[in-house]
Amino acid sequence: MKNSLKYNKLLLLPLLLGAASCNGRDMLVDVLINNPCNQTILADADTIRFTVESDSFNKPQVSTFTTSGQGGNGNLNFNLLLPDAKVTVSVLDKNQQLTAVTTFGPMDLSGDKKHTHLILNVAPGKVSEFNQTTPQEGTCGEMSYGRIGHTATTLPNGQVLIIGGEQINSASSSTPIKQTEFYDPATSKFTEGPELPGGARKYHTATLLPDGRVLIAGGIGQFTSGNTTVDTTLNTVFVYDPESGAFSWPENGATNLTNARAHHTATLLSDGRVMFAGGLQNVEGKNVYTDSIEFWNPEKGCFSVEGIKLQKPRAYHSAVAVNNNNDVVFLGGQNESQALSSVEYYHAGSMENGTGELSSPRTMASAILLSDNETILISGGYKNAVNLNPTASTFKSSLKTADLYKFNSTKTLPCGEAMTTERAYHQMSLLPNGTVLITGGRTSNGMPTSSAEIFTVKNSSGICSASSELVSDMTSPRSGHAQTILPGGDIFLVSGQNSGTQTALTAEYYTVPRTEASH
């Protein structure tokens, strides 16, 4: 049995990849390469490199083809079928510098009687820049719905599952969303998925479980009585199974959260349990903040309360898994009256006391574990609590500052105004070189921003020495956008609010350089 990778230069969509399947059936795979939306990468392309990874190989299989002249062809042959192929397509210039790259999969390229022709439509992203999704040459990809209060989860097959949220129609109108969507990096397309059981929900959590399923819990739904529809906090839970492509209620045991909650955190622990902490409930039109903690046990399919609570009720807080996902640090957030500066530490099965304070109260901040695995960076947020109808004074309290929190010693190292601008409701991602990409959020004027920056921690041994540098803008302003990591490590940013009265219909990805792709 032999698979054959073939390349022919086409005028507009220059690549053709072919593979031969078992049982004498040919499986043709067309890989069409586009310029990303509003970007040009192919005009200066000198070389296209394919890197194919599989459990069937001891090391990646690489083949390089020149794009010069009117054509060109080559073959990469391997004597194994590929039910789990992960493919990286790299674009190099005449100096053999990596200019654009994309990775997709794992996917089945082994072929069967039902699948003998597969068309992949990819747009390698310009390295170290933001690239909007591109379903075909000359177009910019759009989602079915603009969303805020949604989640985005990368599935084991490399596709992204986008769940829930609401679409903002005007300053006083929004539409809850029950329709899910998928994004496939192999085709650069969005497709509609199944509807959510039990109707629309927003400000929920979605946790990828070790077995590849996704656990969706809590959030805010709607309850209708007569002609009146009101928001209600949910305690319901369901699971998405990528094998069946369907949502279902858990198979056995107690299927609901003990406490209805939204704006909470859900953290996957090393033993497979999911820890739910804090959040708020809507009780008779008022937000009531909770200090409750409960755990989802995947083996039993139920929730349990293990006699521990947060020391302070909180929502809109950050939760960071540390010590190989055995422990969790909770930072900031808010209660009914104020933003919080306190930090709490779940360690060895209990909540520890006296775990320090941040340099400032922070709600709707962003936090991430740095590459030393002992320092948490928390940035931005609002200094004042956010209510259902934020005022100008709330927006003006957005922060430009950041802190380093050393959880082993419970010390906070203030970094001062280390960011380039104030941000709240933004996102952060750890890059392979240890720096942090910070995207979007709301600035002090209350409007979403398209700016992004690279945050560098220079010293965290006793003081915080840090700097930040603006990078190219995102393709759209975004706040409250969802974020997930694509198969090649690229950072995928999904929808969010792009103005005071609208949610973005777009998604984009920041292309992270691939060291291995340049060899």
Side-chain angles (χ1 to χ4, degrees):
M1 299 177 182
K2 181 179 289 187
N3 278 8
S4 177
L5 177 69
K6 297 182 178 180
Y7 162 84
N8 292 290
K9 182 177 179 183
L10 307 178
L11 292 178
L12 293 177
L13 306 172
L15 298 178
L16 183 67
L17 175 70
S21 71
C22 57
N23 301 322
R25 301 180 66 86
D26 289 333
M27 182 179 181
L28 182 66
V29 183
D30 295 325
V31 178
L32 310 180
I33 294 189
N34 300 308
N35 287 310
C37 169
N38 296 323
Q39 299 268 25
T40 301
I41 62 168
L42 297 178
D44 298 324
D46 177 82
T47 302
I48 304 295
R49 174 173 292 141
F50 288 95
T51 303
V52 182
E53 298 175 79
S54 170
D55 289 341
S56 302
F57 300 149
N58 292 325
K59 62 180 182 178
Q61 303 293 297
V62 179
S63 187
T64 301
F65 306 104
T66 179
T67 65
S68 59
Q70 296 300 312
N73 58 75
N75 291 279
L76 175 65
N77 296 316
F78 35 89
N79 294 319
L80 293 167
L81 300 176
L82 296 179
D84 60 346
K86 186 176 179 181
V87 180
T88 296
V89 180
S90 306
V91 180
L92 295 85
D93 63 16
K94 63 181 180 180
N95 297 318
Q96 296 303 290
Q97 296 297 308
L98 182 68
T99 60
V101 62
T102 188
T103 301
F104 49 89
M107 60 193 310
D108 189 349
L109 295 183
S110 60
D112 56 35
K113 292 182 180 179
K114 295 181 180 180
H115 302 90
T116 57
H117 189 190
L118 181 63
I119 299 176
L120 307 178
N121 196 68
V122 299
K126 214 165 187 179
V127 172
S128 300
E129 293 192 18
F130 293 95
N131 302 272
Q132 189 175 328
T133 55
T134 308
Q136 62 186 48
E137 180 75 17
T139 67
C140 298
E142 289 193 348
M143 304 165 60
S144 299
Y145 303 91
R147 301 171 188 254
I148 192 169
H150 56 300
T151 55
T153 307
T154 301
L155 302 174
N157 63 6
Q159 295 187 26
V160 177
L161 172 63
I162 303 165
I163 296 176
E166 61 183 332
Q167 180 166 286
I168 297 176
N169 306 314
S170 68
S172 59
S173 172
S174 65
T175 303
I177 302 169
K178 62 181 178 181
Q179 188 71 52
T180 64
E181 290 184 67
F182 293 98
Y183 173 73
D184 188 351
T187 60
S188 299
K189 290 183 178 180
F190 293 95
T191 56
E192 286 197 350
E195 290 187 354
L196 294 174
R201 70 176 64 204
K202 57 188 178 183
Y203 306 110
H204 54 281
T205 54
T207 307
L208 182 67
L209 300 175
D211 61 8
R213 297 181 301 160
V214 181
L215 178 68
I216 299 94
I220 297 173
Q222 289 193 320
F223 173 75
T224 301
S225 178
N227 296 323
T228 303
T229 299
V230 296
D231 283 348
T232 182
T233 316
L234 302 172
N235 68 345
T236 51
V237 174
F238 52 91
V239 173
Y240 175 77
D241 186 349
E243 292 292 327
S244 65
F247 292 99
S248 63
W249 307 108
E251 296 86 352
N252 54 13
T255 59
N256 291 337
L257 288 159
T258 305
N259 294 279
R261 61 182 86 220
H263 300 289
H264 56 287
T265 56
T267 309
L268 180 67
L269 302 178
S270 59
D271 59 7
R273 294 180 302 156
V274 180
M275 183 181 190
F276 293 86
L280 58 83
Q281 301 173 354
N282 188 282
V283 180
E284 297 181 353
K286 295 181 180 180
N287 286 337
V288 177
Y289 290 73
T290 180
D291 58 3
S292 69
I293 291 175
E294 56 190 297
F295 297 85
W296 163 261
N297 187 321
E299 293 183 358
K300 298 180 179 178
C302 64
F303 289 91
S304 62
V305 177
E306 299 183 5
I308 59 173
K309 293 183 177 181
L310 295 169
Q311 296 167 25
K312 294 184 178 181
R314 65 183 73 214
Y316 302 103
H317 55 287
S318 300
V320 180
V322 299
N323 293 333
N324 298 315
N325 287 62
N326 287 305
D327 304 326
V328 184
V329 178
F330 302 96
L331 309 97
Q334 69 178 63
N335 56 27
E336 287 90 344
S337 59
Q338 61 185 359
L340 301 173
S341 60
S342 59
V343 180
E344 303 190 38
Y345 189 14
Y346 171 76
H347 175 64
S350 63
M351 299 299 297
E352 293 196 348
N353 294 318
T355 49
E357 297 278 330
L358 301 174
S359 67
S360 169
R362 299 180 189 273
T363 184
M364 300 177 75
S366 186
I368 194 169
L369 180 66
L370 298 181
S371 54
D372 65 1
N373 289 320
E374 59 183 34
T375 306
I376 295 170
L377 169 66
I378 182 167
S379 69
Y382 291 120
K383 193 173 182 178
N384 298 333
V386 179
N387 57 30
L388 293 176
N389 299 292
T391 62
S393 63
T394 299
F395 293 133
K396 289 180 180 178
S397 76
S398 59
L399 296 166
K400 192 178 179 180
T401 61
D403 289 331
L404 300 181
Y405 181 74
K406 312 285 283 189
F407 56 86
N408 286 328
S409 59
T410 67
K411 290 182 178 179
T412 297
L413 307 178
C415 301
E417 292 189 343
M419 292 196 297
T420 61
T421 189
E422 303 87 356
R423 299 179 191 271
Y425 215 5
H426 55 296
Q427 292 280 11
M428 297 200 302
S429 302
L430 185 66
L431 299 178
N433 64 0
T435 61
V436 177
L437 176 69
I438 306 177
T439 59
R442 292 178 187 161
T443 60
S444 57
N445 64 6
M447 297 300 293
T449 179
S450 61
S451 73
E453 55 191 288
I454 300 290
F455 191 98
T456 303
V457 176
K458 300 175 182 178
N459 186 346
S460 64
S461 59
I463 61 170
C464 173
S465 175
S467 63
S468 204
E469 180 180 358
L470 285 171
V471 295
S472 62
D473 281 356
M474 297 186 294
T475 64
S476 170
R478 300 182 192 276
S479 70
H481 45 297
Q483 173 181 285
T484 188
I485 306 301
L486 297 177
D490 295 337
I491 300 158
F492 192 51
L493 309 173
V494 184
S495 196
Q497 195 167 353
N498 64 355
S499 72
T501 59
Q502 204 171 32
T503 37
L505 280 167
T506 62
E508 57 190 291
Y509 49 96
Y510 180 82
T511 303
V512 176
R514 317 281 206 278
T515 302
E516 67 276 9
S518 61
H519 296 314

